[in-house]
Amino acid sequence: MEIHYLNVWDDIECAGFNSQEYGLLKFGSCEIANQYAKILCERFLYSVDISTISRLVIMSAPYITLPNPASLLADRIGKELLKLFFLRKGFREIGVVHIHKDKHFKSEYAQLTLRERVFLYKDICLYIDEKISGATVLYIDDIKTTGSTESKCLSFFKEQGVACVYSLHLIDISQSGGAEYPSIEGILNRSAITNLHDVQIFFENGGYPVTSSMCRFVLSYPDITAIWEFFNALPKEIVQEFYRGSMGDGYPDMIVFKEGFLKLQNVYKNC
């Protein structure tokens, strides 16, 4: 299997990288996702002779129930490329296929070391809903911190008979401190928000789906009363989305999210 590694930025200090915008992406900003998808498309098209590809499958970092930022980017990149190449002769097929995993991590992933991530991934199985044998895969992730998620997915692609992979990250910090200090990822994830009021404003402004990053932030918030007030102020359908996603991703089983989930569960039962 042929592999090509691409990224837009290779350090958080690079010109053009905005940690506030990145933090908004982690919390599901559709506006920022659209903006970054165009940047990623440009990076891909600059590096690849698209006319040589007969089938392109766009895939992203795996998740269970709640979408992650990479999946938001993959969906938008698929639409961008379809617009660009719908009429191009010889380019026969393009589509987005999401990767799912069968188990959740019982820890806050962004805080885990490289060794811990690799160890946990050994017990995780990935699956998809269609065959990708012989295809060219454009693998998308928002950040490469240690490379453990990418490594797991590349092994999966090889098992599936993929011919070629373009692994494209928005930012790759694996060579600039990410592998040694993976907590950098957690700091970046929280760069656009400081409290639950900030999250509340996201929903009031619209355009924010419930993502895994957002849900983890809310459930682990240190002020339990504030969590209760936050969920009570949300529309019923958003509370239900938080609850279904939390159950699907296994947050009730994680100590760091347990108290917050109990508050969510109480509000959910009264919906």
Side-chain angles (χ1 to χ4, degrees), residues 194-211:
T194 56
N195 53 54
L196 293 183
H197 177 67
D198 292 341
V199 183
Q200 183 71 45
I201 292 173
F202 291 169
F203 287 111
E204 291 173 359
N205 291 339
Y208 284 81
V210 177
T211 65

Side-chain angles (χ1 to χ4, degrees), residues 44-45 47-56 81 85 88-92 94 136 138 166:
F44 175 63
L45 295 173
S47 307
V48 179
D49 181 3
I50 201 81
S51 66
T52 63
I53 301 173
S54 60
R55 184 190 180 200
L56 180 65
L81 291 177
F85 296 101
R88 178 162 295 199
K89 186 177 180 181
F91 193 79
R92 296 198 298 271
I94 180 170
T136 294
L138 172 56
Y166 290 92

